[in-house]
Amino acid sequence: MTDETRGDQPLKRLFFALDCPPAQRKAIAQWRSELGLRTGKPVPADNFHLTLLFLGAVPLAQIGEVCEAAAKVRTPGEALRISLDRLQVWRRAGVLSLAPQQAPQALLRLVYALEQAMLPFRFEEATREYRPHLTLARDYRAPEPESATPPEFFLRAERFALFESHKGRYRSLADWPLI
């Protein structure tokens, strides 16, 4: 089953990301509920992740090659620990998100390595400037909400994954160790 087709070629909407562990998803969702949001569509906690690289619509026949290229990416050699300590609103995109005040260099190097590995595929979506974030709500059209407790979450990742986005749900297709 695919998201769409181009001509007669089936496509899947794909992205690379760091998954959010279940306990942390729950904690972030609880913190978000305490914000009392009155606008936007909350992202389901099961979908919480930190995007590394959005690929967009990828032909089904190309997914194996994408996975082969991802398997060759030079990784940090250690688990990534990313502080999600900043609540922010992206007004043009209508997104409320958690982000790091300072992105770790190891994270930025991983993203760059993935971008380089995906260059031969010429994914148009892959040309955006990278801004690490975890999306809390979409269609958000209000100022940044005030929080009684500032965000202090740490995403620890030992693997990165290729995800499929299908009908509002995300599913891991493959993953690779960072260590």
Side-chain angles (χ1 to χ4, degrees), residues 3 9-10 25-27 43 46 54 56 60 63 74 82 90 111 127-129 140 144 168:
D3 286 342
Q9 192 169 23
R25 289 179 186 158
K26 186 177 178 181
V43 169
D46 286 346
F54 184 74
L60 203 56
I63 294 174
R74 184 182 171 127
I82 299 127
W90 295 356
V111 169
T127 58
R128 297 179 181 167
E129 179 186 349
Y140 187 83
E144 186 178 298

Side-chain angles (χ1 to χ4, degrees), residues 23-164:
Q24 191 161 47
R25 289 179 186 158
K26 186 177 178 181
I28 292 171
Q30 176 62 40
W31 181 83
R32 177 184 62 189
S33 71
E34 293 168 6
L35 294 175
L37 302 179
R38 289 183 164 71
T39 181
K41 296 178 189 165
V43 169
D46 286 346
N47 283 353
F48 286 165
H49 66 276
L50 189 103
T51 301
L52 299 171
L53 183 65
F54 184 74
L55 302 179
V58 176
L60 203 56
Q62 211 171 33
I63 294 174
E65 294 172 56
V66 167
C67 289
E68 286 176 26
K72 295 175 185 171
V73 166
R74 184 182 171 127
T75 60
E78 61 188 17
L80 288 176
R81 184 173 157 95
I82 299 127
S83 175
L84 299 174
D85 55 359
R86 189 170 118 210
L87 183 62
Q88 59 184 12
V89 175
W90 295 356
R91 296 200 192 291
R92 277 189 20 207
V95 169
L96 177 67
S97 65
L98 285 173
Q101 295 274 356
Q102 184 71 41
Q105 287 301 309
L107 172 65
L108 299 177
R109 284 191 296 272
L110 174 61
V111 169
Y112 180 76
L114 275 169
E115 289 171 344
Q116 295 305 301
M118 296 301 121
L119 280 177
F121 301 103
R122 299 184 179 172
F123 297 124
E124 291 178 30
E125 299 288 345
T127 58
R128 297 179 181 167
E129 179 186 349
Y130 181 65
R131 297 192 296 179
H133 67 284
L134 182 146
T135 303
L136 297 172
R138 298 189 184 288
D139 299 328
Y140 187 83
R141 304 289 177 207
E144 186 178 298
E146 293 202 21
S147 170
T149 18
E152 294 180 326
F153 300 101
F154 293 93
L155 178 64
R156 186 176 188 280
E158 294 183 359
R159 307 183 75 73
F160 74 98
L162 179 65
F163 283 88
E164 172 189 9

